[in-house]
Amino acid sequence: GENVEQHPSTLSVQEGDSAVIKCTYSDSASNYFPWYKQELGKRPQLIIDIRSNVGEKKDQRIAVTLNKTAKHFSLHITETQPEDSAVYFCAASRPGRGSNYQLIWGAGTKLIIKP
Amino acid sequence: DSGVTQTPKHLITATGQRVTLRCSPRSGDLSVYWYQQSLDQGLQFLIQYYNGEERAKGNILERFSAQQFPDLHSELNLSSLELGDSALYFCASSAGQGLAGNTIYFGEGSWLTVV
């Protein structure tokens, strides 16, 4: 079945620097790739997503890139700020039973922004 | 506020007991998902319902069961509880039957502590 690998598990960057988190997926039928941010003790929240017909999407300091050939997608955060400290989860949506699509989740990356 | 409501927010119970977690999806959402998140762990998908029917099953233990009612709210029943069941249980909802690209929205979670 589908497997989503996420790297690194922990990422520590200096405030103001950029952070990049990478995910690879195995099912070429996957066509939707969201990223969620989870602050400590809180619910995961969608921060950006990308569909398979698009190679890149940007929203202010956050961008996601998708390489369908290589089956990997990445989250880029520029000019990191203390409030970016959180756990980030990637996911890939693949066809499941019938017309149902399932989200397969990465293991998460703990991003630490050092002052 | 995601619009997904979970109760109770916190629950402490003894081993061997049974508890029920309740979830009300966002208005209009037909799909409900249940996830388990142990301390410092990722999101473990348990089960998905769409309009009252089970749509997908993850790593849900036989001691756990769920259902979605005609008014679309859902309940997750956890029985014969063990210490290892202590976790944050999230409910999430989405508009469709898990169609690709449907954003899922998480509730605040129910913290379960088994003592």
Side-chain angles (χ1 to χ4, degrees):
Chain A
E2 172 73 292
N3 184 45
V4 175
E5 294 189 2
Q6 184 172 347
H7 298 281
S9 56
T10 304
L11 178 60
S12 183
V13 301
Q14 204 69 40
E15 182 179 349
D17 288 350
S18 295
V20 180
I21 302 170
K22 298 179 180 179
C23 288
T24 60
Y25 60 99
S26 58
D27 191 337
S28 57
S30 294
N31 57 9
Y32 171 65
F33 309 90
W35 286 88
Y36 282 75
K37 174 184 180 182
Q38 185 180 27
E39 296 178 6
L40 189 62
K42 298 193 176 180
R43 63 184 172 91
Q45 295 190 65
L46 179 72
I47 55 171
I48 197 168
D49 57 12
I50 193 168
R51 284 158 175 77
S52 59
N53 59 346
V54 175
E56 183 174 0
K57 184 177 178 180
K58 192 173 182 181
D59 182 4
Q60 300 182 341
R61 296 186 297 107
I62 293 172
V64 56
T65 59
L66 171 64
N67 183 326
K68 285 169 50 181
T69 303
K71 290 189 278 189
H72 67 71
F73 56 111
S74 299
L75 177 71
H76 304 252
I77 306 174
T78 58
E79 302 172 11
T80 53
Q81 300 170 5
E83 53 265 35
D84 295 330
S85 293
V87 177
Y88 292 81
F89 291 98
C90 67
S93 181
R94 71 166 174 93
R97 192 200 319 170
S99 58
N100 196 52
Y101 275 72
Q102 271 185 271
L103 270 183
I104 308 300
W105 295 84
T109 296
K110 184 174 185 178
L111 177 60
I112 301 167
I113 307 301
K114 297 181 291 185
Chain B
D1 183 11
S2 66
V4 180
T5 304
Q6 289 188 246
T7 57
K9 287 186 169 43
H10 300 272
L11 189 57
I12 301 175
T13 191
T15 54
Q17 295 298 305
R18 172 190 169 95
V19 299
T20 297
L21 309 181
R22 194 177 191 279
C23 170
S24 293
R26 291 188 324 148
S27 178
D29 282 0
L30 299 178
S31 274
V32 169
Y33 310 78
W34 285 98
Y35 287 87
Q36 179 193 56
Q37 187 175 42
S38 302
L39 194 62
D40 290 336
Q41 297 296 309
L43 296 163
Q44 298 300 317
F45 169 67
L46 297 178
I47 199 163
Q48 177 203 353
Y49 281 83
Y50 170 74
N51 204 21
E53 293 187 4
E54 182 187 307
R55 275 294 180 174
K57 215 167 186 176
N59 298 321
I60 187 167
L61 300 173
E62 286 190 9
R63 299 183 287 109
F64 297 179
S65 65
Q67 54 184 327
Q68 186 180 28
F69 295 87
D71 67 352
L72 300 178
H73 91 271
S74 178
E75 293 181 356
L76 178 66
N77 301 296
L78 315 174
S79 62
S80 303
L81 285 167
E82 303 175 357
L83 295 178
D85 297 328
S86 295
L88 182 55
Y89 290 84
F90 284 110
C91 172
S93 73
S94 68
Q97 53 173 333
L99 294 176
N102 275 7
T103 300
I104 69 168
Y105 297 89
F106 285 83
E108 298 295 331
S110 292
W111 285 94
L112 173 66
T113 302
V114 182
V115 297

